[in-house]
């Protein structure tokens, strides 16, 4: 049951922690814990950053896909 919940969040989340972990070569679990703990301390500001970064990353992926489709034509 717990594994299904973890898989759901990893599949449908924006991938911000994964992107930051790969970009800065930091453990993804540490980045996730940072977001969790800092959201308690900063009253949700890191969640706003997370959603904003997720939207930006999603937009970047959308642009990359549309460029590859245009190049294939």
């Amino acid at each position: 049951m717990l594994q299904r919940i973890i898989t759901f969040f990893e599949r449908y989340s924006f991938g911000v922690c994964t992107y930051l972990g790969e970009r800065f070569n930091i453990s993804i679990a540490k980045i996730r814990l940072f977001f969790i703990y800092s959201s308690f301390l900063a009253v949700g500001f890191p969640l706003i950053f997370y959603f904003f970064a997720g939207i930006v990353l999603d937009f970047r992926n959308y642009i990359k896909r549309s460029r590859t489709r245009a190049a294939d034509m």
Side-chain angles (χ1 to χ4, degrees):
M1 178 70 172
L2 181 63
Q3 186 62 33
R4 285 182 24 195
I5 294 170
I6 291 171
T7 305
F8 173 79
F9 280 112
E10 287 179 352
R11 183 177 296 155
Y12 294 110
S13 66
F14 293 114
V16 175
C17 295
T18 306
Y19 175 78
L20 290 174
E22 291 173 355
R23 179 87 172 160
F24 296 116
N25 199 17
I26 302 173
S27 172
I28 298 167
K30 289 181 182 179
I31 294 173
R32 288 181 181 151
L33 285 176
F34 169 76
F35 275 112
I36 291 169
Y37 292 144
S38 62
S39 66
F40 286 123
L41 294 174
V43 192
F45 178 73
L47 293 176
I48 295 169
F49 170 77
Y50 185 87
F51 288 125
F52 180 72
I55 291 169
V56 169
L57 288 175
D58 193 38
F59 188 68
R60 287 179 60 197
N61 290 336
Y62 175 75
I63 290 173
K64 286 180 184 178
R65 281 182 281 177
S66 65
R67 284 186 182 174
T68 56
R69 282 190 223 139
D72 291 340
M73 294 183 171

